[in-house]
Each structure stands twice: as C-alpha cells, then as structure tokens.
Amino acid sequence: MADHHALGMWGAERADSRWLLFTRRVLLRARRRFLGFETLYMKMKNLSILVNQLVFFSMCERLLLTNQRLSSLYTLMFFNVVAYCVAYVKELVEREDWSMYVNIARTSNVRHLALSTTKIVLEWTKAITFIITVVFILLVFGLEKGLKNYSPTTSYLVITALYFISTEKVFMDMFAAWLDNRKFDYFESMETFYCPALLLASHILLSSIITFLCIFTGNMRLVMLSTFTNIRIKYRELRDGYLQPLKNELELLSDYRVATRSEVDDHDDVCAICLTPMSCARITPCQHFFHADCLRRCLKESNKCPICQYNFIHTPTLRII
C-alpha cells in the first residue's frame, strides 16, 4: 500500500514538472515573440514617432480639455504644418547650390533635360505649397476663425508643443546644431552622443508624468498603450541605442583624466588633432592635451599618441558583481 502511494506521489510530481516545463517553454516563446515585435516596431521610426505623438496628445486631451474630441488630431496636423514650413525655410537657408538645372555629369556643362525638368517642377511645387500654407495660417490667425468645437487651452498647447518639438526631426536637428555650437565643457565635444540621449530622456519624463496623471481619468487602455509605446519602447531605445554607446565611449576615455581649467589655461594651445582652441581637454600619460572627442576618434584607429606615438595601454574597468 505504501509502495502504491509512493508511486502515486512520484507520478504526480513528474506530471507537475512536465506542466511547469511546458509553461516555461510557452512563456519563453511568447517573450521572444514579444521582444521581436518590439524590435520590429522600433525599426519603423516614422510610424513609432507618429504613434507616440498621437498617444501623448490624446492623453493631454483627456487631462486638459473637456468635451473636445479629435482635438489631438487637429493639433497634431497643425504642428506638422508648422514643422513643414520650418523644414522648408531651413532647407533654403542651408542650400548652397541654387541652380535649377542638373548636368549630365559633374565635370560636364551639358544639362540633363529630363532631370532638370523634374527638379524645376519639384522646386516650384514645394515653393507654392509653402506659400499657400503660410497664407492659410495667417488667415486663420488674422480672422480668428478656428475649427468648430476646437478651443485648446494654453497649457495644452504648451505641453504638446514641447513634446512635438522634442520628437520632430527638424527641431531635433536644430537643437543638436545649437548644442554643438555652444560647446559646453560638460559634454567634452561629444554632443552627438549626449544630445539624442537628452531628448529621448525628456520624452520618457514627459510621457511618464502625463501617463501617471491620466490614470485618474479612468482611461486605462490609453494608459497601458502609453506605457508600452511612450515609456517602455523609448526606454529600451534610450538604453540600447544611446546610453550603452555613450557608456562605451566614456569607458574608452576613462584612462585619460580631465584637465582642470588652470591646466588648460596654462597649456594655452590648440588641439593637435582638430587645430581648434581648447576650453576643456583630456590629458594622456605622455602629458599631451586633446579634445575628448578628438582623442576618442584617434583611439578608434590606434592606441598610440597622435603626437609622440607613445603606446597607450587601456585598462578596462572592473565590474564588481
């Protein structure tokens, strides 16, 4: 009788272990598919940005506007129109070649008829579209005639505008250019790594605040959607796409200490790599001063000092687990 009971217990434990193994396999497979879907979604940059903006605007609509459906769509369309105008003006300002014609080859003066015609049509189409858009915006503001049942509050426009500016490519490029021109010492001329990380961190912060406040509106579907698209996906993009590369670059420079302001002033010289003045610098073991970004680029190619060819020995940072 005891043997039968023991066999029964052993059989039940075996069945339980099989069930746990099956459940674990199902969960692992579901996790792999979920992560694969996330990766695919992250690769579709334009679609993910549009979804993020629409979700954020919808949450702000629930929080700050009452009985104004579709206000988020109207606001998003208006901001996109403004972004188009800014992008067109930016293109005109930065344009170097104002010729409307396309030559057959770079070294030839013979014009390509088909390509020249296409370029002229496209340029005039963009110019006319820009003029019509600007005139329409001026008429709307001048006549003070808005859409029916669309009267957004100032706080709604400010918050959504801040989020839109920090997510739209044309404004992100302008912010990156401004940050690069300012040359803050803290960034050590590595604005290309810091700028997108800062903007993406601001996306996550704004989305987290609005998502938390939106919980009290009772719209849990929108909260869950925002948690996935505007927080989780963006955090994964920030971690894998920006923070990890920045961490790797800083680890590469960890063996070269940051020069103090007095040391840079006493050195009173230009960077030997880019030949521009230095307000901040890294010091090599051979006592040479370089911009951090310039030194980082050189270390990608060689472990020797660009001036005296001193051989650097990089000691990787030990991690305590």
Side-chain angles (χ1 to χ4, degrees), residues 117-177:
T117 304
T118 304
K119 184 177 180 180
I120 292 173
V121 171
L122 290 176
E123 291 296 334
W124 277 104
T125 302
K126 289 193 294 184
I128 293 173
T129 304
F130 172 74
I131 294 173
I132 294 175
T133 303
V134 172
V135 171
F136 174 75
I137 293 176
L138 292 177
L139 285 175
V140 170
F141 282 102
L143 299 177
E144 298 182 356
K145 296 293 184 181
L147 296 171
K148 185 179 180 180
N149 297 327
Y150 178 68
S151 54
T153 60
T154 303
S155 57
Y156 172 81
L157 290 177
V158 170
I159 294 175
T160 52
L162 286 175
Y163 188 83
F164 183 83
I165 289 173
S166 64
T167 55
E168 195 64 24
K169 186 178 184 302
V170 60
F171 297 110
M172 293 174 66
D173 293 340
M174 293 172 64
F175 176 73

Coordinates of all heavy atoms in Angstrom, one line a residue, residues 117-177:
T117 N 14.0 69.2 -65.7 CA 12.6 69.5 -65.7 C 11.9 69.0 -64.4 O 11.1 69.7 -63.8 CB 11.9 68.8 -66.9 OG1 12.5 69.2 -68.1 CG2 10.4 69.1 -67.0
T118 N 12.3 67.8 -64.0 CA 11.8 67.2 -62.8 C 12.2 68.0 -61.6 O 11.3 68.3 -60.7 CB 12.3 65.8 -62.6 OG1 11.9 65.0 -63.7 CG2 11.7 65.1 -61.3
K119 N 13.4 68.5 -61.5 CA 13.9 69.3 -60.4 C 13.1 70.6 -60.4 O 12.7 71.1 -59.3 CB 15.4 69.5 -60.5 CG 15.9 70.3 -59.3 CD 17.4 70.4 -59.4 CE 18.0 71.2 -58.2 NZ 19.5 71.4 -58.3
I120 N 12.9 71.3 -61.5 CA 12.2 72.5 -61.6 C 10.8 72.4 -61.1 O 10.3 73.2 -60.3 CB 12.3 73.1 -63.0 CG1 13.7 73.5 -63.4 CG2 11.4 74.3 -63.1 CD1 13.9 73.9 -64.8
V121 N 10.1 71.3 -61.5 CA 8.7 71.1 -61.1 C 8.6 70.9 -59.6 O 7.8 71.4 -58.9 CB 8.1 69.9 -61.9 CG1 6.8 69.5 -61.3 CG2 8.0 70.2 -63.4
L122 N 9.6 70.1 -59.1 CA 9.6 69.8 -57.6 C 9.8 71.0 -56.8 O 9.2 71.3 -55.8 CB 10.6 68.7 -57.3 CG 10.3 67.3 -57.8 CD1 11.4 66.3 -57.5 CD2 9.0 66.8 -57.2
E123 N 10.8 71.8 -57.3 CA 11.1 73.1 -56.5 C 10.0 74.0 -56.5 O 9.6 74.6 -55.5 CB 12.4 73.7 -57.1 CG 13.7 72.9 -56.9 CD 14.1 72.8 -55.5 OE1 13.7 73.7 -54.6 OE2 14.7 71.8 -55.1
W124 N 9.3 74.2 -57.7 CA 8.2 75.1 -57.7 C 7.0 74.6 -56.9 O 6.3 75.4 -56.3 CB 7.8 75.4 -59.2 CG 8.6 76.5 -59.8 CD1 9.6 76.3 -60.7 CD2 8.5 77.9 -59.6 NE1 10.2 77.5 -61.1 CE2 9.5 78.5 -60.4 CE3 7.7 78.7 -58.8 CZ2 9.7 79.9 -60.4 CZ3 7.8 80.0 -58.8 CH2 8.8 80.6 -59.6
T125 N 6.8 73.3 -57.0 CA 5.7 72.7 -56.2 C 5.9 72.9 -54.7 O 5.0 73.3 -54.0 CB 5.6 71.2 -56.5 OG1 5.4 71.0 -57.9 CG2 4.5 70.5 -55.7
K126 N 7.1 72.7 -54.2 CA 7.4 73.0 -52.8 C 7.3 74.4 -52.4 O 6.7 74.8 -51.4 CB 8.8 72.5 -52.5 CG 9.0 71.0 -52.5 CD 10.3 70.5 -51.8 CE 11.5 71.0 -52.6 NZ 12.8 70.4 -52.1
A127 N 7.7 75.3 -53.3 CA 7.6 76.7 -53.1 C 6.1 77.2 -53.0 O 5.7 77.9 -52.1 CB 8.3 77.5 -54.1
I128 N 5.3 76.7 -53.9 CA 3.9 77.1 -54.0 C 3.2 76.5 -52.8 O 2.3 77.2 -52.1 CB 3.2 76.6 -55.3 CG1 3.8 77.4 -56.5 CG2 1.7 76.8 -55.2 CD1 3.4 76.9 -57.8
T129 N 3.5 75.3 -52.4 CA 2.9 74.6 -51.2 C 3.2 75.4 -50.0 O 2.4 75.6 -49.1 CB 3.4 73.2 -51.1 OG1 3.1 72.5 -52.3 CG2 2.7 72.5 -49.9
F130 N 4.5 75.8 -49.9 CA 4.9 76.6 -48.7 C 4.1 78.0 -48.6 O 3.7 78.4 -47.6 CB 6.4 76.9 -48.8 CG 6.9 77.8 -47.7 CD1 7.0 77.5 -46.4 CD2 7.2 79.1 -48.1 CE1 7.5 78.4 -45.5 CE2 7.7 80.0 -47.2 CZ 7.8 79.6 -45.8
I131 N 4.0 78.6 -49.8 CA 3.3 79.9 -49.8 C 1.8 79.8 -49.4 O 1.3 80.5 -48.6 CB 3.4 80.6 -51.2 CG1 4.9 81.0 -51.4 CG2 2.5 81.8 -51.3 CD1 5.1 81.4 -52.8
I132 N 1.2 78.8 -50.0 CA -0.2 78.5 -49.7 C -0.4 78.2 -48.2 O -1.3 78.6 -47.5 CB -0.8 77.4 -50.5 CG1 -0.8 77.8 -52.0 CG2 -2.2 76.9 -50.1 CD1 -1.2 76.7 -53.0
T133 N 0.5 77.4 -47.6 CA 0.4 77.0 -46.2 C 0.6 78.2 -45.3 O -0.2 78.4 -44.4 CB 1.5 76.0 -45.9 OG1 1.4 74.8 -46.8 CG2 1.4 75.5 -44.5
V134 N 1.6 79.1 -45.6 CA 1.8 80.3 -44.8 C 0.6 81.2 -44.9 O 0.1 81.8 -43.9 CB 3.1 81.0 -45.2 CG1 3.2 82.3 -44.5 CG2 4.3 80.1 -44.9
V135 N 0.0 81.4 -46.1 CA -1.1 82.3 -46.2 C -2.3 81.7 -45.5 O -3.0 82.5 -44.8 CB -1.5 82.4 -47.7 CG1 -2.8 83.1 -47.9 CG2 -0.4 83.2 -48.5
F136 N -2.5 80.4 -45.5 CA -3.6 79.8 -44.8 C -3.5 80.0 -43.3 O -4.4 80.3 -42.6 CB -3.7 78.3 -45.1 CG -4.7 77.6 -44.3 CD1 -6.0 77.6 -44.6 CD2 -4.3 76.8 -43.2 CE1 -7.0 77.0 -43.8 CE2 -5.2 76.1 -42.5 CZ -6.6 76.2 -42.8
I137 N -2.3 79.8 -42.8 CA -2.0 80.0 -41.3 C -2.3 81.5 -40.9 O -2.9 81.8 -39.9 CB -0.6 79.6 -41.0 CG1 -0.4 78.1 -41.1 CG2 -0.3 80.0 -39.5 CD1 1.0 77.6 -40.9
L138 N -1.8 82.4 -41.7 CA -2.0 83.8 -41.4 C -3.5 84.2 -41.5 O -3.9 85.0 -40.7 CB -1.2 84.7 -42.4 CG 0.3 84.6 -42.3 CD1 1.0 85.4 -43.4 CD2 0.8 85.1 -41.0
L139 N -4.2 83.6 -42.4 CA -5.7 83.9 -42.5 C -6.4 83.4 -41.3 O -7.3 84.0 -40.7 CB -6.3 83.3 -43.8 CG -5.9 84.0 -45.1 CD1 -6.5 83.2 -46.2 CD2 -6.5 85.4 -45.1
V140 N -6.0 82.2 -40.8 CA -6.6 81.6 -39.6 C -6.4 82.4 -38.4 O -7.3 82.7 -37.6 CB -6.1 80.1 -39.4 CG1 -6.6 79.6 -38.1 CG2 -6.6 79.2 -40.5
F141 N -5.2 82.9 -38.2 CA -4.9 83.7 -37.1 C -5.4 85.1 -37.2 O -5.8 85.7 -36.2 CB -3.3 83.7 -36.8 CG -2.8 82.5 -36.2 CD1 -2.2 81.5 -36.9 CD2 -3.0 82.3 -34.8 CE1 -1.7 80.4 -36.3 CE2 -2.5 81.1 -34.2 CZ -1.8 80.2 -35.0
G142 N -5.4 85.6 -38.4 CA -5.8 87.0 -38.7 C -7.3 87.1 -38.5 O -7.8 88.1 -37.9
L143 N -8.1 86.2 -39.1 CA -9.5 86.2 -39.0 C -10.1 85.6 -37.7 O -11.2 85.8 -37.4 CB -10.1 85.5 -40.2 CG -9.8 86.0 -41.6 CD1 -10.4 85.1 -42.6 CD2 -10.3 87.5 -41.7
E144 N -9.2 85.0 -36.9 CA -9.5 84.3 -35.7 C -10.7 83.4 -35.9 O -11.6 83.4 -35.0 CB -9.8 85.4 -34.6 CG -8.7 86.3 -34.3 CD -9.0 87.3 -33.2 OE1 -10.2 87.3 -32.8 OE2 -8.1 88.0 -32.8
K145 N -10.7 82.7 -36.9 CA -11.7 81.7 -37.2 C -11.1 80.3 -37.1 O -10.4 79.8 -37.9 CB -12.3 81.8 -38.6 CG -13.0 83.2 -38.9 CD -14.3 83.3 -38.1 CE -15.0 84.6 -38.4 NZ -16.2 84.7 -37.6
G146 N -11.4 79.6 -36.0 CA -10.9 78.3 -35.8 C -11.9 77.2 -36.2 O -13.0 77.5 -36.8
L147 N -11.6 76.0 -35.9 CA -12.5 74.9 -36.2 C -13.6 74.9 -35.1 O -13.5 75.3 -34.0 CB -11.7 73.6 -36.2 CG -10.6 73.4 -37.2 CD1 -9.8 72.2 -37.0 CD2 -11.3 73.3 -38.6
K148 N -14.7 74.3 -35.5 CA -15.9 74.2 -34.6 C -15.5 73.3 -33.5 O -15.0 72.2 -33.7 CB -17.1 73.7 -35.4 CG -18.3 73.7 -34.6 CD -19.5 73.2 -35.4 CE -20.8 73.2 -34.6 NZ -22.0 72.7 -35.4
N149 N -15.9 73.7 -32.3 CA -15.6 73.0 -31.0 C -14.1 72.7 -30.8 O -13.8 71.7 -30.1 CB -16.4 71.6 -31.1 CG -17.9 71.9 -31.1 OD1 -18.4 72.8 -30.6 ND2 -18.6 70.9 -31.8
Y150 N -13.3 73.5 -31.4 CA -11.8 73.4 -31.1 C -11.3 74.6 -30.5 O -11.1 75.6 -31.2 CB -11.1 73.1 -32.4 CG -9.6 72.9 -32.2 CD1 -9.1 71.9 -31.5 CD2 -8.7 73.9 -32.8 CE1 -7.7 71.8 -31.3 CE2 -7.4 73.8 -32.6 CZ -6.8 72.7 -31.9 OH -5.5 72.6 -31.7
S151 N -11.1 74.6 -29.2 CA -10.6 75.8 -28.5 C -9.6 75.3 -27.4 O -10.0 75.2 -26.2 CB -11.7 76.6 -27.8 OG -12.5 75.7 -27.0
P152 N -8.4 74.9 -27.8 CA -7.4 74.3 -26.9 C -7.0 75.4 -25.9 O -6.9 76.6 -26.2 CB -6.3 73.9 -27.8 CG -6.4 74.8 -29.0 CD -7.9 75.0 -29.2
T153 N -6.6 74.9 -24.7 CA -6.1 75.8 -23.7 C -4.6 76.1 -23.9 O -4.0 75.4 -24.6 CB -6.3 75.2 -22.3 OG1 -5.6 74.0 -22.2 CG2 -7.8 75.0 -22.0
T154 N -4.2 77.1 -23.2 CA -2.8 77.5 -23.4 C -1.8 76.4 -22.8 O -0.8 76.0 -23.4 CB -2.5 78.8 -22.6 OG1 -3.3 79.8 -23.1 CG2 -1.0 79.2 -22.8
S155 N -2.2 75.8 -21.7 CA -1.4 74.7 -21.1 C -1.3 73.5 -22.0 O -0.3 72.9 -22.2 CB -2.0 74.3 -19.7 OG -3.3 73.9 -19.9
Y156 N -2.5 73.2 -22.7 CA -2.5 72.1 -23.6 C -1.5 72.3 -24.8 O -0.7 71.4 -25.2 CB -3.9 71.9 -24.1 CG -4.0 70.8 -25.2 CD1 -4.0 69.5 -24.9 CD2 -4.1 71.2 -26.5 CE1 -4.1 68.5 -25.9 CE2 -4.2 70.3 -27.6 CZ -4.2 69.0 -27.3 OH -4.3 68.1 -28.3
L157 N -1.6 73.5 -25.3 CA -0.7 73.8 -26.5 C 0.7 73.9 -26.1 O 1.6 73.4 -26.9 CB -1.1 75.2 -27.1 CG -2.5 75.2 -27.8 CD1 -2.8 76.7 -28.3 CD2 -2.5 74.3 -29.0
V158 N 1.1 74.4 -24.9 CA 2.4 74.5 -24.5 C 3.0 73.1 -24.3 O 4.1 72.8 -24.8 CB 2.6 75.3 -23.2 CG1 4.0 75.2 -22.6 CG2 2.2 76.8 -23.5
I159 N 2.3 72.2 -23.6 CA 2.8 70.9 -23.3 C 3.0 70.0 -24.5 O 4.0 69.4 -24.8 CB 1.9 70.2 -22.3 CG1 1.9 70.9 -20.9 CG2 2.3 68.7 -22.1 CD1 1.0 70.3 -19.9
T160 N 1.9 70.1 -25.4 CA 2.0 69.3 -26.6 C 3.1 69.8 -27.6 O 3.7 69.1 -28.3 CB 0.6 69.3 -27.3 OG1 0.2 70.6 -27.5 CG2 -0.4 68.5 -26.5
A161 N 3.2 71.2 -27.6 CA 4.3 71.8 -28.4 C 5.7 71.4 -28.0 O 6.5 71.1 -28.8 CB 4.1 73.3 -28.4
L162 N 5.9 71.3 -26.7 CA 7.2 70.9 -26.1 C 7.5 69.5 -26.5 O 8.6 69.2 -26.9 CB 7.2 71.1 -24.6 CG 7.3 72.5 -24.1 CD1 7.2 72.5 -22.6 CD2 8.6 73.1 -24.5
Y163 N 6.5 68.6 -26.4 CA 6.7 67.2 -26.8 C 6.9 67.1 -28.3 O 7.8 66.3 -28.7 CB 5.5 66.4 -26.3 CG 5.7 64.9 -26.5 CD1 6.4 64.2 -25.5 CD2 5.3 64.2 -27.6 CE1 6.6 62.8 -25.7 CE2 5.5 62.9 -27.8 CZ 6.2 62.2 -26.8 OH 6.4 60.8 -27.0
F164 N 6.2 67.8 -29.1 CA 6.3 67.7 -30.5 C 7.7 68.2 -31.0 O 8.3 67.6 -31.8 CB 5.2 68.5 -31.2 CG 5.2 68.4 -32.7 CD1 4.6 67.3 -33.3 CD2 5.8 69.4 -33.5 CE1 4.6 67.2 -34.7 CE2 5.9 69.3 -34.9 CZ 5.3 68.2 -35.5
I165 N 8.1 69.3 -30.4 CA 9.4 69.9 -30.8 C 10.5 68.9 -30.4 O 11.5 68.8 -31.2 CB 9.6 71.2 -30.1 CG1 8.7 72.3 -30.7 CG2 11.1 71.7 -30.2 CD1 8.7 73.6 -30.0
S166 N 10.4 68.2 -29.3 CA 11.5 67.3 -28.9 C 11.4 66.0 -29.6 O 12.4 65.2 -29.4 CB 11.4 67.1 -27.3 OG 10.2 66.4 -27.0
T167 N 10.4 65.7 -30.4 CA 10.3 64.4 -31.1 C 10.4 64.6 -32.6 O 10.8 63.6 -33.3 CB 9.0 63.7 -30.8 OG1 7.9 64.6 -31.1 CG2 8.9 63.3 -29.4
E168 N 10.1 65.8 -33.2 CA 10.2 66.0 -34.6 C 11.6 66.2 -35.1 O 12.4 66.9 -34.5 CB 9.3 67.2 -35.0 CG 9.0 67.3 -36.5 CD 8.2 66.2 -37.0 OE1 7.5 65.5 -36.2 OE2 8.3 65.9 -38.2
K169 N 12.0 65.6 -36.2 CA 13.4 65.5 -36.6 C 13.9 66.9 -36.9 O 15.1 67.2 -36.6 CB 13.5 64.6 -37.9 CG 14.9 64.4 -38.3 CD 15.0 63.5 -39.5 CE 16.4 63.2 -39.9 NZ 17.2 64.4 -40.2
V170 N 13.2 67.8 -37.6 CA 13.7 69.1 -38.0 C 14.1 69.9 -36.7 O 15.2 70.5 -36.7 CB 12.7 69.8 -38.8 CG1 11.4 70.1 -38.1 CG2 13.3 71.2 -39.3
F171 N 13.3 69.8 -35.7 CA 13.6 70.5 -34.4 C 14.7 69.9 -33.7 O 15.5 70.6 -33.0 CB 12.3 70.7 -33.6 CG 11.2 71.5 -34.2 CD1 10.1 70.8 -34.6 CD2 11.4 72.8 -34.4 CE1 9.0 71.6 -35.2 CE2 10.3 73.5 -35.0 CZ 9.2 72.9 -35.4
M172 N 14.8 68.6 -33.7 CA 15.9 67.8 -33.0 C 17.2 68.2 -33.7 O 18.2 68.4 -33.0 CB 15.6 66.3 -33.1 CG 14.4 65.8 -32.3 SD 14.1 64.1 -32.6 CE 15.6 63.3 -31.8
D173 N 17.2 68.3 -35.0 CA 18.5 68.7 -35.7 C 18.9 70.1 -35.4 O 20.1 70.4 -35.2 CB 18.3 68.5 -37.2 CG 18.1 67.1 -37.7 OD1 18.5 66.2 -36.9 OD2 17.6 66.9 -38.8
M174 N 17.9 71.0 -35.2 CA 18.2 72.4 -34.9 C 18.7 72.4 -33.5 O 19.7 73.2 -33.2 CB 17.0 73.2 -35.0 CG 16.5 73.4 -36.5 SD 14.9 74.2 -36.6 CE 15.3 75.8 -35.9
F175 N 18.2 71.7 -32.5 CA 18.7 71.7 -31.2 C 20.1 71.1 -31.1 O 20.9 71.6 -30.4 CB 17.7 70.8 -30.3 CG 18.2 70.7 -28.9 CD1 18.1 71.7 -28.0 CD2 18.7 69.5 -28.4 CE1 18.6 71.6 -26.7 CE2 19.2 69.3 -27.1 CZ 19.1 70.4 -26.2
A176 N 20.3 70.0 -31.9 CA 21.7 69.4 -31.9 C 22.7 70.4 -32.5 O 23.8 70.5 -31.9 CB 21.6 68.1 -32.8
A177 N 22.3 71.2 -33.5 CA 23.2 72.2 -34.1 C 23.5 73.3 -33.0 O 24.6 73.7 -32.9 CB 22.6 72.7 -35.3

